[in-house]
Amino acid sequence: MNKTPQEQFMLEAISLSSHGMINNEGGPFGCVIVKNNMIIGRGHNKVISTNDPTAHAEIVAIRDACQHLGAFQLDGCQLYTSCEPCPMCLGAIYWARPEKVFYACTRSDAAQIGFDDHFIYEEIMSDQQQRKLPMKQLLRSEALKVFSSWSAKSDKTFY
């Protein structure tokens, strides 16, 4: 039975997830980004191979696609990921602004194999004073000067 283009793209994301895992580059996660029915970005988890905790499949694929497009947003693109995005990746996806996201496994599936992000979702919903990672504000007035400069900057690029 023939697969739809969407299924073919998801199979590529799943293949990338296997590739990265087999090569011990990171966890079993893969992602492709598609525009006009062509893959323009690929990524698999590279946390271990790069010693970069942000090198999740979606982040790697977003960076690849943006380089390919020469743009910092994914207008008119679809993202296919082998697993429902974690909180970090979900934030990056929203910033990149693709038109649609497809995923295979759920966050519950990921939790069952040791990739449980539930605590991050809880932390995001907690008041800052209740979070497990202490945060303290410093030098706001100094940083606000840079924000003021940004507001006055006439040649800025909005995003």
Side-chain angles (χ1 to χ4, degrees):
M1 183 178 201
N2 289 340
K3 302 269 190 238
T4 67
Q6 291 176 341
E7 291 170 329
Q8 291 289 344
F9 295 136
M10 185 59 78
L11 285 172
E12 179 64 18
I14 293 168
S15 176
L16 287 167
S17 73
S18 179
H19 171 81
M21 177 196 61
I22 289 168
N23 290 316
N24 295 319
E25 295 181 65
F29 305 99
C31 181
V32 297
I33 298 173
V34 174
K35 185 167 187 170
N36 299 324
N37 282 325
M38 291 183 55
I39 295 175
I40 60 159
R42 287 180 168 79
H44 60 273
N45 187 293
K46 294 183 177 185
V47 169
I48 295 169
S49 64
T50 62
N51 292 317
D52 179 355
T54 69
H56 289 198
E58 296 91 339
I59 303 294
V60 173
I62 288 168
R63 290 174 179 163
D64 187 39
C66 287
Q67 285 287 355
H68 177 87
L69 293 173
F72 51 80
Q73 291 182 340
L74 299 176
D75 297 329
C77 295
Q78 303 82 43
L79 186 144
Y80 293 80
T81 182
S82 64
C83 187
E84 184 178 357
C86 75
M88 176 186 68
C89 292
L90 186 59
I93 289 166
Y94 271 97
W95 282 116
R97 297 186 179 123
E99 66 182 21
K100 193 162 192 174
V101 174
F102 298 90
Y103 65 93
C105 294
T106 66
R107 62 180 163 177
S108 294
D109 297 328
Q112 290 178 15
I113 62 164
F115 295 93
D116 190 351
D117 297 325
H118 184 73
F119 78 97
I120 298 173
Y121 288 103
E122 286 181 346
E123 286 283 289
I124 291 169
M125 298 302 292
S126 297
D127 289 332
Q128 195 175 54
Q129 300 78 13
Q130 304 301 320
R131 292 184 182 160
K132 292 176 179 63
L133 181 62
M135 295 186 185
K136 180 174 171 61
Q137 187 175 27
L138 292 173
L139 300 176
R140 179 175 180 256
S141 61
E142 295 300 317
L144 281 173
K145 292 175 187 173
V146 180
F147 277 19
S148 292
S149 294
W150 172 259
S151 291
K153 187 172 170 50
S154 62
D155 63 342
K156 61 187 164 218
T157 301
F158 289 97
Y159 58 96

